[in-house]
Short mmCIF file of all heavy atoms in Angstrom, two decimals:
data_model
loop_
_atom_site.label_atom_id
_atom_site.label_comp_id
_atom_site.label_asym_id
_atom_site.label_seq_id
_atom_site.Cartn_x
_atom_site.Cartn_y
_atom_site.Cartn_z
N GLN A 229 15.95 -9.12 -13.60
CA GLN A 229 16.62 -9.67 -12.44
C GLN A 229 17.98 -10.24 -12.82
O GLN A 229 18.91 -10.24 -12.03
CB GLN A 229 15.76 -10.77 -11.82
CG GLN A 229 14.47 -10.22 -11.22
CD GLN A 229 13.49 -11.32 -10.91
OE1 GLN A 229 13.85 -12.47 -10.88
NE2 GLN A 229 12.25 -10.95 -10.69
N GLU A 230 18.11 -10.76 -14.06
CA GLU A 230 19.39 -11.30 -14.51
C GLU A 230 20.45 -10.21 -14.56
O GLU A 230 21.62 -10.44 -14.27
CB GLU A 230 19.24 -11.95 -15.88
CG GLU A 230 18.41 -13.23 -15.85
CD GLU A 230 18.22 -13.80 -17.22
OE1 GLU A 230 18.98 -13.43 -18.13
OE2 GLU A 230 17.32 -14.62 -17.41
N ASP A 231 20.02 -8.97 -14.94
CA ASP A 231 20.97 -7.87 -14.99
C ASP A 231 21.50 -7.55 -13.60
O ASP A 231 22.65 -7.15 -13.42
CB ASP A 231 20.29 -6.62 -15.58
CG ASP A 231 19.97 -6.82 -17.05
OD1 ASP A 231 20.61 -7.69 -17.68
OD2 ASP A 231 19.08 -6.11 -17.53
N ILE A 232 20.64 -7.71 -12.58
CA ILE A 232 21.04 -7.35 -11.23
C ILE A 232 21.81 -8.49 -10.56
O ILE A 232 22.72 -8.26 -9.78
CB ILE A 232 19.79 -7.01 -10.39
CG1 ILE A 232 19.21 -5.70 -10.89
CG2 ILE A 232 20.12 -6.89 -8.92
CD1 ILE A 232 18.05 -5.24 -10.10
N GLU A 233 21.46 -9.74 -10.86
CA GLU A 233 22.07 -10.87 -10.20
C GLU A 233 22.73 -11.81 -11.20
O GLU A 233 22.29 -12.92 -11.43
CB GLU A 233 21.03 -11.63 -9.38
CG GLU A 233 20.38 -10.77 -8.32
CD GLU A 233 19.31 -11.53 -7.57
OE1 GLU A 233 18.71 -12.42 -8.16
OE2 GLU A 233 19.12 -11.22 -6.40
N PRO A 234 23.82 -11.39 -11.86
CA PRO A 234 24.47 -12.21 -12.88
C PRO A 234 25.07 -13.47 -12.30
O PRO A 234 25.30 -14.43 -13.02
CB PRO A 234 25.55 -11.28 -13.45
CG PRO A 234 25.81 -10.27 -12.38
CD PRO A 234 24.51 -10.08 -11.68
N GLN A 235 25.33 -13.49 -10.99
CA GLN A 235 25.94 -14.66 -10.40
C GLN A 235 25.04 -15.89 -10.47
O GLN A 235 25.50 -17.01 -10.41
CB GLN A 235 26.29 -14.39 -8.92
CG GLN A 235 27.25 -13.22 -8.76
CD GLN A 235 27.41 -12.86 -7.30
OE1 GLN A 235 26.73 -13.41 -6.44
NE2 GLN A 235 28.32 -11.95 -7.03
N HIS A 236 23.73 -15.65 -10.59
CA HIS A 236 22.79 -16.76 -10.58
C HIS A 236 22.38 -17.21 -11.98
O HIS A 236 21.52 -18.05 -12.13
CB HIS A 236 21.52 -16.36 -9.80
CG HIS A 236 21.81 -15.98 -8.38
ND1 HIS A 236 22.17 -16.89 -7.43
CD2 HIS A 236 21.78 -14.77 -7.75
CE1 HIS A 236 22.36 -16.28 -6.27
NE2 HIS A 236 22.12 -15.00 -6.44
N VAL A 237 22.96 -16.62 -13.00
CA VAL A 237 22.49 -16.89 -14.35
C VAL A 237 22.74 -18.34 -14.73
O VAL A 237 21.84 -19.02 -15.27
CB VAL A 237 23.20 -15.96 -15.36
CG1 VAL A 237 22.90 -16.39 -16.79
CG2 VAL A 237 22.76 -14.52 -15.14
N SER A 238 23.94 -18.85 -14.46
CA SER A 238 24.24 -20.22 -14.88
C SER A 238 23.38 -21.22 -14.13
O SER A 238 22.87 -22.17 -14.69
CB SER A 238 25.73 -20.52 -14.63
OG SER A 238 26.04 -20.35 -13.26
N ALA A 239 23.19 -20.99 -12.83
CA ALA A 239 22.34 -21.89 -12.06
C ALA A 239 20.91 -21.85 -12.55
O ALA A 239 20.22 -22.87 -12.64
CB ALA A 239 22.41 -21.53 -10.57
N THR A 240 20.45 -20.65 -12.89
CA THR A 240 19.08 -20.51 -13.40
C THR A 240 18.92 -21.22 -14.73
O THR A 240 17.88 -21.81 -15.01
CB THR A 240 18.74 -19.02 -13.54
OG1 THR A 240 18.92 -18.38 -12.31
CG2 THR A 240 17.30 -18.85 -14.01
N ALA A 241 19.96 -21.11 -15.58
CA ALA A 241 19.88 -21.77 -16.88
C ALA A 241 19.74 -23.28 -16.72
O ALA A 241 18.94 -23.93 -17.42
CB ALA A 241 21.13 -21.45 -17.70
N ASN A 242 20.50 -23.86 -15.77
CA ASN A 242 20.39 -25.30 -15.55
C ASN A 242 19.01 -25.66 -15.02
O ASN A 242 18.40 -26.65 -15.44
CB ASN A 242 21.46 -25.77 -14.55
CG ASN A 242 22.85 -25.64 -15.11
OD1 ASN A 242 23.03 -25.69 -16.34
ND2 ASN A 242 23.86 -25.46 -14.25
N ALA A 243 18.52 -24.84 -14.09
CA ALA A 243 17.19 -25.11 -13.54
C ALA A 243 16.13 -24.99 -14.61
O ALA A 243 15.16 -25.75 -14.65
CB ALA A 243 16.89 -24.13 -12.38
N THR A 244 16.31 -24.01 -15.50
CA THR A 244 15.35 -23.82 -16.58
C THR A 244 15.33 -25.01 -17.51
O THR A 244 14.26 -25.46 -17.97
CB THR A 244 15.70 -22.55 -17.37
OG1 THR A 244 15.73 -21.45 -16.48
CG2 THR A 244 14.66 -22.30 -18.45
N ALA A 245 16.51 -25.53 -17.84
CA ALA A 245 16.57 -26.69 -18.74
C ALA A 245 15.86 -27.89 -18.13
O ALA A 245 15.10 -28.58 -18.79
CB ALA A 245 18.04 -27.04 -19.04
N ASN A 246 16.10 -28.13 -16.83
CA ASN A 246 15.44 -29.24 -16.18
C ASN A 246 13.93 -29.05 -16.11
O ASN A 246 13.15 -29.97 -16.33
CB ASN A 246 15.99 -29.42 -14.74
CG ASN A 246 17.45 -29.82 -14.75
OD1 ASN A 246 17.91 -30.43 -15.71
ND2 ASN A 246 18.17 -29.48 -13.68
N ALA A 247 13.52 -27.80 -15.78
CA ALA A 247 12.09 -27.52 -15.69
C ALA A 247 11.41 -27.66 -17.04
O ALA A 247 10.29 -28.16 -17.15
CB ALA A 247 11.86 -26.10 -15.14
N THR A 248 12.11 -27.23 -18.12
CA THR A 248 11.54 -27.34 -19.45
C THR A 248 11.37 -28.80 -19.86
O THR A 248 10.36 -29.19 -20.45
CB THR A 248 12.44 -26.62 -20.47
OG1 THR A 248 12.62 -25.27 -20.05
CG2 THR A 248 11.82 -26.65 -21.85
N ALA A 249 12.37 -29.62 -19.50
CA ALA A 249 12.26 -31.03 -19.83
C ALA A 249 11.10 -31.67 -19.10
O ALA A 249 10.33 -32.47 -19.66
CB ALA A 249 13.58 -31.75 -19.45
N ASN A 250 10.93 -31.33 -17.82
CA ASN A 250 9.82 -31.89 -17.06
C ASN A 250 8.49 -31.42 -17.62
O ASN A 250 7.52 -32.17 -17.68
CB ASN A 250 9.93 -31.48 -15.59
CG ASN A 250 11.13 -32.11 -14.92
OD1 ASN A 250 11.58 -33.18 -15.36
ND2 ASN A 250 11.65 -31.48 -13.87
N ALA A 251 8.44 -30.13 -18.02
CA ALA A 251 7.19 -29.60 -18.55
C ALA A 251 6.84 -30.27 -19.85
O ALA A 251 5.67 -30.54 -20.15
CB ALA A 251 7.31 -28.09 -18.74
N THR A 252 7.86 -30.56 -20.69
CA THR A 252 7.59 -31.21 -21.97
C THR A 252 7.07 -32.63 -21.76
O THR A 252 6.16 -33.10 -22.47
CB THR A 252 8.89 -31.25 -22.80
OG1 THR A 252 9.37 -29.92 -22.95
CG2 THR A 252 8.63 -31.86 -24.18
N ALA A 253 7.63 -33.30 -20.77
CA ALA A 253 7.22 -34.68 -20.53
C ALA A 253 5.81 -34.76 -19.98
O ALA A 253 5.12 -35.76 -20.15
CB ALA A 253 8.19 -35.36 -19.57
N THR A 254 5.38 -33.72 -19.30
CA THR A 254 4.07 -33.77 -18.65
C THR A 254 3.19 -32.61 -19.09
O THR A 254 2.42 -32.09 -18.30
CB THR A 254 4.24 -33.73 -17.13
OG1 THR A 254 4.91 -32.52 -16.78
CG2 THR A 254 5.06 -34.92 -16.63
N GLU A 255 3.31 -32.21 -20.34
CA GLU A 255 2.61 -31.01 -20.77
C GLU A 255 1.10 -31.20 -20.79
O GLU A 255 0.34 -30.24 -20.73
CB GLU A 255 3.09 -30.61 -22.17
CG GLU A 255 2.86 -31.64 -23.23
CD GLU A 255 3.40 -31.24 -24.59
OE1 GLU A 255 3.86 -30.10 -24.69
OE2 GLU A 255 3.35 -32.05 -25.51
N ASN A 256 0.64 -32.45 -20.84
CA ASN A 256 -0.79 -32.69 -20.82
C ASN A 256 -1.31 -33.02 -19.42
O ASN A 256 -2.46 -33.44 -19.26
CB ASN A 256 -1.14 -33.86 -21.77
CG ASN A 256 -0.85 -33.50 -23.22
OD1 ASN A 256 -1.06 -32.36 -23.61
ND2 ASN A 256 -0.34 -34.46 -23.98
N SER A 257 -0.43 -32.91 -18.44
CA SER A 257 -0.83 -33.25 -17.08
C SER A 257 -1.86 -32.27 -16.55
O SER A 257 -1.67 -31.06 -16.60
CB SER A 257 0.41 -33.22 -16.17
OG SER A 257 0.03 -33.31 -14.82
N PRO A 258 -2.98 -32.76 -15.97
CA PRO A 258 -3.98 -31.86 -15.40
C PRO A 258 -3.41 -31.04 -14.26
O PRO A 258 -3.80 -29.92 -14.04
CB PRO A 258 -5.08 -32.82 -14.90
CG PRO A 258 -4.83 -34.12 -15.63
CD PRO A 258 -3.38 -34.17 -15.91
N LEU A 259 -2.46 -31.64 -13.50
CA LEU A 259 -1.89 -30.91 -12.38
C LEU A 259 -1.14 -29.68 -12.84
O LEU A 259 -1.24 -28.59 -12.28
CB LEU A 259 -0.95 -31.83 -11.59
CG LEU A 259 -0.25 -31.21 -10.37
CD1 LEU A 259 -1.30 -30.75 -9.37
CD2 LEU A 259 0.70 -32.20 -9.73
N LEU A 260 -0.38 -29.82 -13.94
CA LEU A 260 0.36 -28.68 -14.48
C LEU A 260 -0.60 -27.60 -14.97
O LEU A 260 -0.40 -26.42 -14.73
CB LEU A 260 1.28 -29.14 -15.62
CG LEU A 260 2.16 -28.05 -16.25
CD1 LEU A 260 3.11 -27.48 -15.21
CD2 LEU A 260 2.92 -28.59 -17.43
N ALA A 261 -1.62 -28.00 -15.67
CA ALA A 261 -2.59 -27.03 -16.18
C ALA A 261 -3.27 -26.29 -15.04
O ALA A 261 -3.53 -25.11 -15.09
CB ALA A 261 -3.63 -27.75 -17.04
N LYS A 262 -3.52 -27.04 -13.96
CA LYS A 262 -4.18 -26.43 -12.82
C LYS A 262 -3.27 -25.41 -12.15
O LYS A 262 -3.69 -24.36 -11.69
CB LYS A 262 -4.56 -27.53 -11.83
CG LYS A 262 -5.49 -27.04 -10.73
CD LYS A 262 -5.75 -28.19 -9.77
CE LYS A 262 -7.18 -28.19 -9.36
NZ LYS A 262 -7.50 -29.32 -8.51
N LYS A 263 -1.95 -25.74 -12.09
CA LYS A 263 -1.01 -24.83 -11.45
C LYS A 263 -0.88 -23.53 -12.20
O LYS A 263 -0.62 -22.50 -11.63
CB LYS A 263 0.36 -25.51 -11.36
CG LYS A 263 0.54 -26.41 -10.16
CD LYS A 263 1.94 -26.95 -10.15
CE LYS A 263 2.38 -27.16 -8.71
NZ LYS A 263 3.77 -27.56 -8.65
N GLN A 264 -1.04 -23.59 -13.51
CA GLN A 264 -0.85 -22.40 -14.32
C GLN A 264 -2.05 -21.46 -14.25
O GLN A 264 -1.95 -20.33 -14.62
CB GLN A 264 -0.59 -22.80 -15.77
CG GLN A 264 0.75 -23.51 -15.96
CD GLN A 264 0.95 -23.96 -17.39
OE1 GLN A 264 0.04 -23.84 -18.22
NE2 GLN A 264 2.12 -24.48 -17.70
N GLN A 265 -3.18 -21.93 -13.76
CA GLN A 265 -4.39 -21.14 -13.72
C GLN A 265 -4.68 -20.74 -12.28
O GLN A 265 -5.47 -21.38 -11.59
CB GLN A 265 -5.57 -21.92 -14.32
CG GLN A 265 -5.38 -22.24 -15.79
CD GLN A 265 -6.50 -23.10 -16.34
OE1 GLN A 265 -7.38 -23.53 -15.60
NE2 GLN A 265 -6.49 -23.34 -17.63
N VAL A 266 -4.00 -19.72 -11.84
CA VAL A 266 -4.20 -19.21 -10.49
C VAL A 266 -5.19 -18.06 -10.54
O VAL A 266 -4.97 -17.06 -11.24
CB VAL A 266 -2.86 -18.73 -9.88
CG1 VAL A 266 -3.08 -18.21 -8.48
CG2 VAL A 266 -1.86 -19.88 -9.87
N THR A 267 -6.30 -18.20 -9.84
CA THR A 267 -7.35 -17.19 -9.82
C THR A 267 -7.56 -16.70 -8.40
O THR A 267 -7.02 -17.27 -7.43
CB THR A 267 -8.66 -17.75 -10.38
OG1 THR A 267 -9.11 -18.81 -9.51
CG2 THR A 267 -8.47 -18.30 -11.79
N MET A 268 -8.36 -15.67 -8.25
CA MET A 268 -8.67 -15.18 -6.91
C MET A 268 -9.38 -16.24 -6.08
O MET A 268 -9.16 -16.36 -4.88
CB MET A 268 -9.53 -13.91 -7.00
CG MET A 268 -8.76 -12.67 -7.36
SD MET A 268 -9.75 -11.18 -7.15
CE MET A 268 -8.54 -9.92 -7.54
N GLY A 269 -10.26 -17.02 -6.74
CA GLY A 269 -10.97 -18.10 -6.04
C GLY A 269 -10.02 -19.15 -5.50
O GLY A 269 -10.13 -19.57 -4.35
N SER A 270 -9.05 -19.57 -6.31
CA SER A 270 -8.09 -20.57 -5.86
C SER A 270 -7.16 -20.01 -4.79
O SER A 270 -6.75 -20.74 -3.87
CB SER A 270 -7.27 -21.09 -7.05
OG SER A 270 -6.49 -20.06 -7.62
N LEU A 271 -6.86 -18.73 -4.87
CA LEU A 271 -6.02 -18.12 -3.84
C LEU A 271 -6.74 -18.10 -2.49
O LEU A 271 -6.13 -18.33 -1.45
CB LEU A 271 -5.63 -16.70 -4.25
CG LEU A 271 -4.65 -16.57 -5.43
CD1 LEU A 271 -4.49 -15.10 -5.82
CD2 LEU A 271 -3.30 -17.16 -5.08
N LEU A 272 -8.04 -17.84 -2.51
CA LEU A 272 -8.80 -17.80 -1.26
C LEU A 272 -8.94 -19.17 -0.62
O LEU A 272 -9.21 -19.28 0.58
CB LEU A 272 -10.20 -17.22 -1.53
CG LEU A 272 -10.25 -15.71 -1.80
CD1 LEU A 272 -11.65 -15.30 -2.23
CD2 LEU A 272 -9.83 -14.92 -0.55
N LYS A 273 -8.75 -20.23 -1.39
CA LYS A 273 -8.82 -21.58 -0.85
C LYS A 273 -7.51 -22.01 -0.19
O LYS A 273 -7.45 -23.04 0.47
CB LYS A 273 -9.18 -22.57 -1.95
CG LYS A 273 -10.59 -22.38 -2.50
CD LYS A 273 -10.87 -23.36 -3.64
CE LYS A 273 -12.27 -23.11 -4.22
NZ LYS A 273 -12.54 -24.02 -5.38
N ASN A 274 -6.46 -21.22 -0.40
CA ASN A 274 -5.17 -21.51 0.21
C ASN A 274 -5.14 -20.92 1.62
O ASN A 274 -5.36 -19.73 1.80
CB ASN A 274 -4.05 -20.91 -0.65
CG ASN A 274 -2.67 -21.26 -0.14
OD1 ASN A 274 -2.22 -20.71 0.87
ND2 ASN A 274 -1.99 -22.16 -0.83
N TRP A 275 -4.86 -21.78 2.62
CA TRP A 275 -4.95 -21.32 4.01
C TRP A 275 -3.94 -20.23 4.34
O TRP A 275 -4.21 -19.33 5.12
CB TRP A 275 -4.77 -22.48 4.97
CG TRP A 275 -4.78 -22.06 6.40
CD1 TRP A 275 -3.75 -22.11 7.29
CD2 TRP A 275 -5.88 -21.48 7.12
NE1 TRP A 275 -4.12 -21.60 8.51
CE2 TRP A 275 -5.43 -21.22 8.43
CE3 TRP A 275 -7.19 -21.16 6.78
CZ2 TRP A 275 -6.25 -20.66 9.40
CZ3 TRP A 275 -8.01 -20.60 7.76
CH2 TRP A 275 -7.54 -20.34 9.04
N ARG A 276 -2.76 -20.28 3.76
CA ARG A 276 -1.77 -19.25 4.01
C ARG A 276 -2.29 -17.89 3.56
O ARG A 276 -2.14 -16.89 4.28
CB ARG A 276 -0.46 -19.57 3.29
CG ARG A 276 0.35 -20.67 3.93
CD ARG A 276 1.51 -21.09 3.04
NE ARG A 276 2.49 -20.04 2.88
CZ ARG A 276 3.56 -20.16 2.10
NH1 ARG A 276 3.74 -21.27 1.38
NH2 ARG A 276 4.42 -19.18 2.01
N ILE A 277 -2.91 -17.85 2.39
CA ILE A 277 -3.49 -16.60 1.89
C ILE A 277 -4.65 -16.16 2.75
O ILE A 277 -4.76 -14.99 3.16
CB ILE A 277 -3.92 -16.77 0.42
CG1 ILE A 277 -2.72 -17.10 -0.48
CG2 ILE A 277 -4.64 -15.52 -0.08
CD1 ILE A 277 -1.73 -15.99 -0.62
N LEU A 278 -5.56 -17.09 3.05
CA LEU A 278 -6.77 -16.74 3.79
C LEU A 278 -6.47 -16.24 5.19
O LEU A 278 -7.06 -15.25 5.65
CB LEU A 278 -7.70 -17.96 3.86
CG LEU A 278 -9.07 -17.73 4.52
CD1 LEU A 278 -9.86 -16.66 3.80
CD2 LEU A 278 -9.86 -19.03 4.58
N SER A 279 -5.54 -16.89 5.88
CA SER A 279 -5.20 -16.45 7.24
C SER A 279 -4.53 -15.08 7.22
O SER A 279 -4.75 -14.25 8.12
CB SER A 279 -4.30 -17.47 7.93
OG SER A 279 -3.12 -17.69 7.16
N CYS A 280 -3.73 -14.82 6.21
CA CYS A 280 -3.14 -13.49 6.06
C CYS A 280 -4.22 -12.43 5.88
O CYS A 280 -4.16 -11.35 6.47
CB CYS A 280 -2.19 -13.46 4.86
SG CYS A 280 -0.63 -14.33 5.10
N LEU A 281 -5.22 -12.75 5.08
CA LEU A 281 -6.30 -11.80 4.82
C LEU A 281 -7.13 -11.52 6.06
O LEU A 281 -7.57 -10.39 6.31
CB LEU A 281 -7.20 -12.32 3.69
CG LEU A 281 -6.52 -12.46 2.32
CD1 LEU A 281 -7.49 -13.06 1.31
CD2 LEU A 281 -6.00 -11.12 1.82
N ILE A 282 -7.36 -12.57 6.88
CA ILE A 282 -8.11 -12.37 8.13
C ILE A 282 -7.35 -11.43 9.05
O ILE A 282 -7.93 -10.52 9.66
CB ILE A 282 -8.36 -13.72 8.82
CG1 ILE A 282 -9.31 -14.58 7.98
CG2 ILE A 282 -8.95 -13.51 10.21
CD1 ILE A 282 -9.47 -15.99 8.49
N CYS A 283 -6.06 -11.63 9.14
CA CYS A 283 -5.22 -10.73 9.96
C CYS A 283 -5.29 -9.30 9.46
O CYS A 283 -5.40 -8.35 10.25
CB CYS A 283 -3.79 -11.23 9.94
SG CYS A 283 -2.60 -10.07 10.63
N VAL A 284 -5.25 -9.13 8.14
CA VAL A 284 -5.27 -7.79 7.55
C VAL A 284 -6.60 -7.10 7.87
O VAL A 284 -6.63 -5.91 8.23
CB VAL A 284 -5.04 -7.87 6.03
CG1 VAL A 284 -5.29 -6.51 5.38
CG2 VAL A 284 -3.62 -8.33 5.73
N VAL A 285 -7.71 -7.81 7.74
CA VAL A 285 -9.02 -7.21 7.98
C VAL A 285 -9.12 -6.70 9.41
O VAL A 285 -9.54 -5.55 9.66
CB VAL A 285 -10.15 -8.25 7.71
CG1 VAL A 285 -11.49 -7.71 8.21
CG2 VAL A 285 -10.25 -8.55 6.23
N VAL A 286 -8.73 -7.52 10.38
CA VAL A 286 -8.89 -7.14 11.78
C VAL A 286 -7.95 -5.99 12.16
O VAL A 286 -8.36 -4.99 12.76
CB VAL A 286 -8.65 -8.36 12.69
CG1 VAL A 286 -8.71 -7.95 14.16
CG2 VAL A 286 -9.67 -9.44 12.40
N SER A 287 -6.66 -6.14 11.80
CA SER A 287 -5.70 -5.09 12.18
C SER A 287 -5.99 -3.78 11.45
O SER A 287 -5.84 -2.69 12.04
CB SER A 287 -4.28 -5.56 11.90
OG SER A 287 -4.12 -5.94 10.55
N ALA A 288 -6.43 -3.86 10.20
CA ALA A 288 -6.77 -2.64 9.47
C ALA A 288 -8.01 -1.98 10.05
O ALA A 288 -8.12 -0.74 10.08
CB ALA A 288 -7.01 -2.95 7.99
#
Side-chain angles (χ1 to χ4, degrees):
Q229 293 167 14
E230 291 177 18
D231 292 338
I232 290 184
E233 300 177 331
Q235 300 172 354
H236 300 290
V237 171
S238 59
T240 304
N242 293 333
T244 303
N246 294 333
T248 304
N250 293 334
T252 304
T254 59
E255 61 183 354
N256 295 323
S257 169
L259 180 61
L260 182 62
K262 191 182 221 177
K263 275 183 148 186
Q264 293 177 353
Q265 296 176 355
V266 180
T267 63
M268 283 191 176
S270 64
L271 291 173
L272 287 172
K273 294 178 182 178
N274 184 286
W275 177 247
R276 286 170 66 184
I277 298 293
L278 184 59
S279 57
C280 287
L281 296 177
I282 293 173
C283 169
V284 171
V285 169
V286 176
S287 56

